[in-house]
Amino acid sequence: AQSVTQPDIHITVSEGASLELRCNYSYGATPYLFWYVQSPGQGLQLLLKYFSGDTLVQGIKGFEAEFKRSQSSFNLRKPSVHWSDAAEYFCAVGAWGSQGNLIFGKGTKLSVKP
Amino acid sequence: NAGVTQTPKFQVLKTGQSMTLQCAQDMNHNSMYWYRQDPGMGLRLIYYSASEGTTDKGEVPNGYNVSRLNKREFSLRLESAAPSQTSVYFCASSESVIFLGSGVHFGNGTRLTVT
């Protein structure tokens, strides 16, 4: 079955520390992979996406993610977290011909300590 | 750029009432979607429209209807609201349901409570 797993429900990091949010997927076809961020009461903003090519992708707000096919993972990273990064982060997967049906993980809530 | 615009932002309904959630996008996208978001469940697809004039069921279509009014607008209707439909509803759009490489763009959501 197609699925996306974000193993960490809640992560707390100190401001200025590095961040890695984990995402593992199970998908039969070659995947499109996305990371979205959602601030409280807001919609989902696309941080970055992987379609093909270079497996390390750069996104907005200083985020990057690395696609590792052998591990079925697409982890999100940031070298130095800012207080404004506190939000919920969602990993999602789709595919060519999936009729736009993105499969979402259940999200990881990020808290940032001063 | 407005992107994807949803109205209303908040709504409270009594069980059995009906309402329509409106969505419009100004990115000239062909495909549009309605998702619902529930705590601990992530987002689940209700209906989608691959192109103007077509609509199809997603993962959780029961209790909902949709209309693709034109290329810009895609509405979601609850004919007889139930407490289980209390949720946050997101409209989204993309260039195509086939090619998602340019991303799926979301509106800011409608928070619906059914009492």
Side-chain angles (χ1 to χ4, degrees), chain A residues 40-95:
Chain A
Q42 299 297 309
L44 279 76
Q45 182 181 21
L46 181 64
L47 282 175
L48 48 78
K49 59 187 185 288
Y50 173 77
F51 170 47
S52 64
D54 192 346
T55 57
L56 184 64
V57 293
Q58 302 297 321
I60 62 171
K61 305 185 179 188
F63 285 93
E64 66 177 27
E66 186 171 12
F67 171 56
K68 293 185 177 179
R69 186 185 298 276
S70 61
Q71 298 176 20
S72 297
S73 69
F74 189 56
N75 294 348
L76 182 72
R77 301 194 293 250
K78 187 170 184 177
S80 178
V81 169
H82 187 263
W83 64 266
S84 61
D85 293 325
E88 191 156 19
Y89 292 79
F90 292 92
C91 180
V93 63

Side-chain angles (χ1 to χ4, degrees), chain A residues 3-49:
Chain A
S3 65
V4 175
T5 301
Q6 294 179 246
D8 303 305
I9 295 173
H10 190 185
I11 285 182
T12 300
V13 299
S14 298
E15 190 168 15
S18 64
L19 171 70
E20 182 170 30
L21 301 182
R22 296 182 290 164
C23 174
N24 292 96
Y25 67 91
S26 172
Y27 207 79
T30 299
Y32 296 112
L33 294 156
F34 305 87
W35 275 100
Y36 287 89
V37 61
Q38 185 179 32
S39 297
Q42 299 297 309
L44 279 76
Q45 182 181 21
L46 181 64
L47 282 175
L48 48 78
K49 59 187 185 288

Side-chain angles (χ1 to χ4, degrees), chain A residues 32 34 36 38 41-46 49 51 88 90 94-107, chain B residues 33 35 37 40-45 48 50 58-59 90 97-109 111:
Chain A
Y32 296 112
F34 305 87
Y36 287 89
Q38 185 179 32
Q42 299 297 309
L44 279 76
Q45 182 181 21
L46 181 64
K49 59 187 185 288
F51 170 47
E88 191 156 19
F90 292 92
W96 184 280
S98 66
Q99 302 303 304
N101 190 4
L102 296 185
I103 307 298
F104 281 84
K106 295 183 179 179
Chain B
Y33 316 86
Y35 284 85
Q37 182 182 33
M41 299 290 290
L43 280 82
R44 293 178 293 169
L45 183 65
Y48 67 96
E59 181 185 354
F90 288 98
V97 292
I98 300 298
F99 178 68
L100 300 179
S102 62
V104 179
H105 301 267
F106 285 81
N108 285 333
R111 188 174 297 274

Side-chain angles (χ1 to χ4, degrees), chain B residues 13-17 36 38 64 78 80-89 112-115:
Chain B
L13 293 177
K14 295 188 189 306
T15 297
Q17 287 184 318
R36 61 178 288 173
D38 301 293
Y64 305 96
L78 286 70
S80 178
S84 61
Q85 295 177 305
T86 293
S87 187
V88 181
Y89 291 86
L112 175 67
T113 301
V114 183
T115 60

